[in-house]
Amino acid sequence: MDVTTTAQYRVLGYPHKPTQLVLMACDETNEELQDLNADTNLHDVDDEMGDGDNCSGEDTARRDIASPSIDKFEPIYIDMTEYDTAIQSKVDTLELGYLIEATVKWTADGLRLTVVDVIAETNFIFYNEVTGIFEAATTTWKDAVAEGEGMGSRLTRGTDAKPNGALYVFAKQQDARDLTREFQTGVTPLEPLIRRVDEEETASVSVSPESTQPRAVFVLKPATEPFIIVYVVFRRNSMLAGTLHSTYGENSDNNVEGNQPGSTPSGPLQFE
């Protein structure tokens, strides 16, 4: 008897293997038994036991199933080899950062996707070894250090005074930890920062939810600064997102390593 779980997931792409899709669970899963003959089978078992047995057939049948459990913000790993065309074509359209609703079947051979629906086409963008860090980030970091904190945050606004992003800075780890890599693989989730935009950060201002206004989430690792930047831009195709692409992307003088940012318009960085 197969068991499936349905939940919202964040697409983390293929950070480990080219055929292993990583998804981050964004909420609790809904577990369902997927056996069309389950009720009949359980009834048959109960009849065979007789009235004198204290165990129910349902308990016996369910005991043989290892009930799946996916915690909130837990990454799951799905082998994408040998999929049918319908599912594979949907997965091929997914990009890093997309928010999806997916049904996952738990089988003896591992997890299998059976249904995939896109909720929001949010993008995650990682730029490493960047230089020319904008003033709002350095100021936010200085404020955090002055308060003895390892992270800082602020709301940013455009020229129209409307909120256009949530800026976070985190101290680089001095040990073997690579925080940027942890964000990429889901070991340290970006999800709470994205959700904070909807739940806390913009509680007193008007920002459309992610489902109707996909975000662009930039993770910038400066070459020399002692902090890492996570910038949740509220509108994926905004001028602010375009400016970050053009400033720190592949063709920018401020990107030492070089990344593939895509083509987007540029514009002035505006901050609160």
Side-chain angles (χ1 to χ4, degrees):
M1 189 184 303
D2 291 329
V3 180
T4 66
T5 56
T6 299
Q8 290 187 6
Y9 296 91
R10 185 72 61 178
V11 177
L12 299 184
Y14 302 83
H16 301 293
K17 302 176 182 178
T19 59
Q20 185 188 65
L21 177 65
V22 181
L23 303 176
M24 166 76 68
C26 296
D27 53 18
E28 300 298 331
T29 57
N30 296 319
E31 179 183 329
E32 296 179 1
L33 297 177
Q34 298 296 307
D35 188 337
L36 297 179
N37 298 317
D39 292 339
T40 301
N41 293 339
L42 293 176
H43 179 71
D44 291 343
V45 171
D46 192 45
D47 286 345
E48 291 173 1
M49 285 183 171
D51 294 336
D53 199 305
N54 291 328
C55 297
S56 70
E58 182 174 357
D59 288 341
T60 302
R62 287 177 183 268
R63 195 176 296 119
D64 293 333
I65 301 171
S67 296
S69 175
I70 301 176
D71 294 331
K72 191 175 183 179
F73 304 148
E74 176 186 355
I76 64 171
Y77 308 92
I78 300 175
D79 185 357
M80 290 306 300
T81 58
E82 299 181 0
Y83 264 80
D84 61 65
T85 304
I87 292 294
Q88 188 65 57
S89 61
K90 282 191 174 183
V91 172
D92 288 345
T93 66
L94 301 180
E95 296 183 17
L96 188 64
Y98 272 25
L99 180 64
I100 65 173
E101 182 173 88
T103 299
V104 178
K105 179 186 291 186
W106 298 67
T107 73
D109 296 326
L111 303 182
R112 303 286 292 176
L113 285 174
T114 60
V115 179
V116 176
D117 293 306
V118 175
I119 297 174
E121 295 181 347
T122 291
N123 288 144
F124 286 0
I125 306 99
F126 294 84
Y127 292 145
N128 293 323
E129 301 301 316
V130 298
T131 58
I133 302 303
F134 50 93
E135 183 179 357
T138 57
T139 300
T140 302
W141 174 246
K142 289 177 181 178
D143 291 343
V145 171
E147 296 174 3
E149 300 292 341
M151 69 161 290
S153 65
R154 68 185 297 179
L155 187 70
T156 65
R157 298 178 183 272
T159 54
D160 57 2
K162 294 181 179 180
N164 60 6
L167 174 66
Y168 303 90
V169 292
F170 298 87
K172 286 183 179 178
Q173 304 302 306
Q174 300 302 316
D175 52 21
R177 287 184 60 190
D178 183 342
L179 189 56
T180 300
R181 179 63 178 169
E182 290 183 11
F183 284 141
Q184 289 177 314
T185 60
V187 172
T188 298
L190 288 167
E191 198 63 30
L193 303 182
I194 302 171
R195 293 199 166 198
R196 188 179 178 188
V197 171
D198 291 332
E199 298 170 0
E200 299 177 17
E201 197 78 43
T202 59
S204 61
V205 296
S206 178
V207 175
S208 298
E210 183 186 3
S211 58
T212 60
Q213 184 173 295
R215 318 302 189 199
V217 182
F218 291 84
V219 179
L220 308 177
K221 184 178 182 180
T224 57
E225 300 288 353
F227 56 86
I228 291 172
I229 301 164
V230 176
Y231 203 166
V232 182
V233 178
F234 296 157
R235 189 181 296 276
R236 185 191 63 184
N237 295 323
S238 64
M239 183 175 290
L240 173 58
T243 298
L244 291 167
H245 276 302
S246 61
T247 302
Y248 301 111
E250 181 183 38
N251 298 321
S252 169
D253 293 336
N254 292 320
N255 190 334
V256 177
E257 281 193 353
N259 293 271
Q260 189 65 39
S263 177
T264 51
S266 62
L269 287 171
Q270 299 291 336
F271 302 101
E272 186 179 40

